[in-house]
Amino acid sequence: MIDIFNSDKEYIANTYARFPLCLVEGKGSRVKDSNGKEYIDLSTGIAVNTFGFSDDEWKNAVIEQLGKLQHTSNLYYSEPCTKLAQLLCEKTGMKKVFFSNSGAEANECAIKTARKYAADKKGSEYNTIVTLVNSFHGRTITTLAATGQDVFHKDFLPLTEGFVYANANDIDDLNAKVKENKCAAIMFECVQGEGGVLPLTKEFVEAIVKIAEENDLLVICDEVQTGNGRSGSLYAYMNYGITPDIVSTAKGLAGGLPIGATLMGEKTEKTLGASDHGSTFGGNPISCAAAVNVISRIDGELLEDVRRKSQYIIDELSCVNGVKSVCGMGLMLGIETEKEASAVIKECMDNGVLVIKAKNKVRLLPALNIPDDELKTAINVLKKACEV
Ligand SMILES: *Cc1c(COP(=O)(O)O)cnc(C)c1O
């Protein structure tokens, strides 16, 4: 076997600070490393493996499609992506879907759609998109510009123009940013994931919708991380009772295969026309067959289970000496600990539990179907690791 740690260092671009762990196989929420040590996984490849590793039903859907064909290009009709688009529209009330391969691309499409909608309706000078301070929308030059965190910007200037940042949960600041600029849209995550698992207040989200209405702006929800059942609803915006004009999603949609989707509502369903946008791999049959399996399994019962498990985790952790606070929504939780988050993560890893970080917090993103006994075992390890 190759020396994976050294070869990785030698041949892989140096963009990731990896844990000293090579994962080789898993089943559900259990996964083994190259030494044969087993872990309970509460990270799901950053909210991607919706039903854990190599879930049987999911795997069969993928294998069945693999046996038919793997790719067609968008020059031809293809059943898996049509089926998935229909399913997404029926479950959300949105009208049209554009498929891509990642969260950043799903957001690129959302931004292009918003710019074109505003240009068609109000004039091309109405191109500013208001996003939030501490947001995360992706790593391309445009989605970096949308990301309201200077640390991500500094070495890559100039970024795409036309983004301004309002403070989260600050209605006056949002109003001011909208008034000071010629705007097309307001774009936000209902729970800022990379920013520290911070949910927006209901009052603020309602204000976004009201301000958008008053100023003829589109409402764009970035559901890349919060989407596909993770928040305890199919999409997190549903927890706030709002109807966005555009929804972007990716991570958990295909349960572990690359996909991005941009959902367009009534206002924007006709905005993009022939050759306005495209993606070679977008709507890939394998990814779409996987996503059809994932989305059709996210029903009321599963979502109730997500909310129940969420409450269990919150209740268990809140009373631990060493836990300052628990925040988030559904199975997307952030824990503020008295110890350094990295120390808690390492102790968990040593004791067979995988958790990750978001800013200064320990972040939990377990599989939506994690069995109760495995969750309990993992939370007990985590509680011990947090204790001071
Ligand atoms: C992860 C993430 C992205 C970027 O997704 P990629 O697939 O890495 O391009 C965008 N927005 C949010 C909210 C995310 O969590």
Side-chain angles (χ1 to χ4, degrees):
M1 206 179 123
I2 61 164
D3 178 351
I4 191 117
F5 298 113
N6 281 316
S7 296
D8 184 291
K9 204 178 215 102
E10 187 170 353
Y11 297 112
I12 301 276
N14 206 12
T15 59
Y16 301 109
R18 300 196 204 275
F19 293 115
L21 209 64
C22 175
L23 300 177
V24 291
E25 61 178 322
K27 191 82 200 157
S29 290
R30 292 187 181 269
V31 63
K32 273 186 196 153
D33 71 9
S34 49
N35 296 319
K37 180 173 168 179
E38 195 173 74
Y39 302 84
I40 299 175
D41 176 40
L42 302 185
S43 66
T44 54
I46 320 185
V48 167
N49 300 329
T50 307
F51 294 115
F53 294 100
S54 293
D55 172 83
D56 282 328
E57 224 187 289
W58 173 88
K59 192 171 69 180
N60 288 338
V62 171
I63 290 171
E64 196 186 323
Q65 183 55 43
L66 261 174
K68 291 181 186 165
L69 49 76
Q70 78 279 29
H71 174 78
T72 59
S73 88
N74 284 303
L75 300 173
Y76 307 101
Y77 290 91
S78 160
E79 188 178 306
C81 76
T82 311
K83 240 169 122 173
L84 176 59
Q86 184 178 350
L87 201 54
L88 287 169
C89 288
E90 284 171 357
K91 288 203 169 205
T92 60
M94 302 296 279
K95 299 295 177 196
K96 292 254 190 301
V97 183
F98 179 87
F99 288 116
S100 52
N101 315 287
S102 66
E105 283 175 278
N107 285 335
E108 288 271 350
C109 176
I111 291 162
K112 280 179 74 172
T113 305
R115 286 245 171 110
K116 182 156 189 296
Y117 176 85
D120 290 347
K121 195 169 180 211
K122 304 191 284 189
S124 58
E125 69 276 26
Y126 287 86
N127 56 45
T128 298
I129 295 177
V130 184
T131 67
L132 300 181
V133 172
N134 195 44
S135 56
F136 183 83
H137 297 295
R139 301 280 194 168
T140 63
I141 290 290
T142 296
T143 56
L144 268 185
T147 294
Q149 301 191 56
D150 288 341
V151 283
F152 289 108
H153 295 174
K154 62 180 180 18
D155 295 325
F156 305 102
L157 303 174
L159 302 178
T160 305
E161 290 171 53
F163 291 89
V164 297
Y165 317 105
N167 289 318
N169 298 322
D170 184 340
I171 298 171
D172 291 340
D173 192 39
L174 178 64
N175 249 320
K177 294 299 185 308
V178 165
K179 291 280 177 310
E180 286 160 14
N181 298 280
K182 288 187 159 57
C183 296
I186 305 170
M187 176 170 172
F188 59 96
E189 308 149 86
C190 288
V191 184
Q192 295 189 327
E194 301 307 307
V197 206
L198 300 166
L200 298 181
T201 63
K202 190 150 200 294
E203 191 192 12
F204 185 66
V205 172
E206 282 166 358
I208 291 176
V209 173
K210 186 163 167 276
I211 291 167
E213 226 165 67
E214 287 165 359
N215 294 277
D216 197 12
L217 311 177
L218 295 174
V219 172
I220 307 174
C221 278
D222 179 342
E223 296 263 4
V224 172
Q225 189 163 159
T226 50
N228 313 301
R230 183 135 305 271
S231 73
S233 291
L234 181 59
Y235 291 100
Y237 74 77
M238 295 170 174
N239 291 331
Y240 290 86
I242 64 162
T243 306
D245 299 302
I246 302 176
V247 177
S248 59
T249 189
K251 289 192 166 90
L253 177 56
L257 289 175
I259 193 167
T262 309
L263 282 56
M264 298 143 189
E266 256 157 37
K267 284 186 194 162
T268 50
E269 65 167 317
K270 297 199 174 77
T271 300
L272 295 183
S275 76
D276 280 335
H277 200 42
S279 165
T280 298
F281 283 114
N284 172 268
I286 313 287
S287 295
C288 287
V292 165
N293 178 265
V294 169
I295 292 298
S296 50
R297 290 165 67 186
I298 302 176
D299 57 11
E301 199 181 333
L302 181 85
L303 292 171
E304 202 182 302
D305 228 33
V306 168
R307 297 192 291 269
R308 178 182 59 78
K309 287 169 185 170
S310 173
Q311 197 56 52
Y312 165 76
I313 298 172
I314 294 167
D315 290 346
E316 286 291 308
L317 288 166
S318 298
C319 52
V320 172
N321 193 13
V323 170
K324 290 196 210 160
S325 66
V326 184
C327 61
M329 199 179 271
L331 288 177
M332 178 173 173
L333 296 169
I335 309 157
E336 203 187 347
T337 51
E338 276 173 40
K339 285 189 200 168
E340 282 283 324
S342 328
V344 175
I345 292 166
K346 183 173 183 307
E347 197 173 325
C348 284
M349 193 178 293
D350 290 344
N351 291 297
V353 172
L354 301 181
V355 295
I356 57 175
K357 218 166 129 167
K359 287 279 155 74
N360 62 337
K361 294 191 186 116
V362 177
R363 177 166 40 157
L364 309 185
L365 298 159
L368 304 190
N369 65 343
I370 185 170
D372 284 344
D373 58 334
E374 289 176 14
L375 182 61
K376 189 173 174 195
T377 305
I379 293 302
N380 282 337
V381 168
L382 175 62
K383 281 165 73 175
K384 265 216 188 86
C386 291
E387 236 161 53
V388 288

